[in-house]
Amino acid sequence: MRRVLPYPLIALALLLSWLVLAGSASLGTILLGGMVTLGGSWALASLAPPRARLRRLAVLPGLLRDVLVEVVRSNNAVARIILDPAGQGRRQSGFVQIPLDMRSPQGLAALACILTATPGTVWVEYDSSEGIMLLHVLDLVDASEWVRIVKEKWERRLMEIFE
Amino acid sequence: MSVVLLAWAVLLAQLMLLAAMGCAVVRLLLGPRAQDRVLALDTLNVNAAMLLLVFGIRTGTSHYFEAALLITLLGFVTTAALSKFLMRGEVIE
Amino acid sequence: MIHAAELPVWAAVIVAVLLLLGAGLALIGSFGLLRLRSFYERVHAPTLGTTLGIGCVLVASMLFFSLLQRRLVLHEILIAVLMVMTTPVTLMLLARAALYRDRVERNGSVPPPPGVRWEGGEER
């Protein structure tokens, strides 16, 4: 099984996106999509990415909901900052160094995607030897507050899923 | 009723997206540094993809969807390659 | 726009609102490119268009074509998945490239590389 289909979840996602793109689920489409999926899986296996172990998927729906809420909330906040007629004088932006406990590469990638996809924060750099992440924040009031938000709101739950 | 409403909404959305692309082009020309221009180019790509989707709604055909998908794909590759170039001075090491 | 005549009014209202919201967010984001002061601030601006902005337009497009063709049209989800996966990567790469260039020039407004303390640069 592992030799024919090295990454079953990724293969399933690939097949589903093929069907959605073709807009039908006829036998021919499924067969062609299955061939493409097999080829893609083998190509991916030859790259040998580190395998992710997903634990505690029960945390995932709540996490996705919180990401969506946070994206909407920060869209609103950043739009207000850009349109603020008082100008850009008082607001401070800056870099924050955040020490992370998470070491799983998939978890770090997920954290980077969450932080960068929410407007107002951009993941800039990660130092893997010391586990320190550099974050740029558009509206920086209190750096320690951001350390707390990242660690308690996102990192803890991502560690439950990926480690 | 729904035709008039949608026609106006689509027209307004197209004008707003054109204005957004105008802003991105101004930043593309002003710079001041190379990373500003790459960021403006990326924004231009996303705005163009959205404009194509709105065009699709206007004409009622889904052909524009494929163009939008291609633009987002190419935009990603372009920006990634340009960022790599800014960092190292060469794209392929 | 004659083809839209068969669309129910409630759907037309939702599609119109989503289109205007999405285009408006994209406009604000691109306007932020002009308004914000430094590169690291400007990196944040286009995220408005690439998250909620294009999301609204995609949902509008899905709703419109599903009702018009009387079948589920879902291929817009592919663009959404693509944007979700690629936007953070491009912005991160770009921010890192900018940081690298500023560090090479010893620009005092960026933090030094980890483990290094600049003699001239200010400590943040």
Side-chain angles (χ1 to χ4, degrees), chain B residues 16-79:
Chain B
M16 284 201 275
L17 286 171
L18 276 179
M21 288 173 84
C23 290
V25 168
V26 171
R27 180 49 77 192
L28 186 69
L29 295 176
L30 281 181
R33 305 204 60 199
Q35 52 260 44
D36 287 296
R37 295 179 208 269
V38 177
L39 183 66
L41 194 65
D42 191 53
T43 315
L44 201 60
N45 268 320
V46 176
N47 288 341
M50 287 170 77
L51 193 59
L52 279 172
L53 286 169
V54 178
F55 257 114
I57 291 183
R58 185 191 190 104
T59 53
T61 62
S62 50
H63 297 114
Y64 287 102
F65 160 79
E66 277 142 42
L69 189 65
L70 277 179
I71 283 194
T72 45
L73 261 176
L74 285 179
F76 167 62
V77 176
T78 314
T79 314

Side-chain angles (χ1 to χ4, degrees), chain C residues 40-86:
Chain C
Y40 295 102
E41 291 190 357
R42 287 196 279 268
V43 165
H44 299 285
T47 328
L48 265 79
T50 53
T51 54
L52 209 56
I54 203 164
C56 285
V57 173
L58 288 171
V59 172
S61 173
M62 271 199 302
L63 188 66
F64 181 80
F65 283 111
S66 294
L67 286 169
L68 204 67
Q69 303 179 354
R70 297 183 196 291
R71 66 188 182 93
L72 216 52
V73 177
L74 290 177
H75 54 207
E76 278 85 355
I77 288 182
L78 291 180
I79 292 189
V81 171
L82 201 67
M83 291 308 288
V84 165
M85 289 197 297
T86 58

Side-chain angles (χ1 to χ4, degrees), chain A residues 17 20-21 23 75 78 82-84 87-88 91 93 95 112 116-117 120-125 127 134 136 138, chain C residues 28 31-32 35-37 40-41 43-44 47-48 51-52 71 74-75 78 88 91-92 96 99 103 109 111 114:
Chain A
S17 51
V20 167
L21 192 61
N75 260 284
V78 172
I82 291 174
L83 295 178
D84 186 6
Q88 309 289 323
R91 183 178 43 79
S93 69
F95 293 93
T116 311
T121 49
V122 170
W123 167 298
V124 182
E125 188 182 52
D127 177 23
L134 190 64
H136 188 267
L138 181 59
Chain C
I28 294 173
F31 182 59
R35 190 108 199 266
L36 299 176
R37 289 164 303 185
Y40 295 102
E41 291 190 357
V43 165
H44 299 285
T47 328
L48 265 79
T51 54
L52 209 56
R71 66 188 182 93
L74 290 177
H75 54 207
L78 291 180
L91 288 184
M92 257 181 280
R96 277 184 60 195
L99 192 67
R103 278 174 178 167
S109 64

Side-chain angles (χ1 to χ4, degrees), chain B residues 1-8, chain C residues 4-5 7-10 12-13:
Chain B
M1 169 68 191
S2 54
V3 175
V4 179
L5 180 70
L6 264 183
W8 277 103
Chain C
L7 214 65
V9 175
W10 62 267
V13 170

Side-chain angles (χ1 to χ4, degrees), chain A residues 5-60:
Chain A
L5 212 58
Y7 299 92
L9 273 179
I10 294 176
L12 185 68
L14 207 57
L15 181 61
L16 275 181
S17 51
W18 179 272
L19 294 183
V20 167
L21 192 61
S24 78
S26 65
L27 186 63
T29 326
I30 293 178
L31 277 179
L32 193 57
M35 275 153 64
V36 171
T37 304
L38 273 185
S41 303
W42 294 338
L44 185 65
S46 70
L47 293 174
R51 195 176 286 278
R53 279 193 317 279
L54 297 178
R55 301 188 312 113
R56 301 238 5 227
L57 281 176
V59 192
L60 201 57

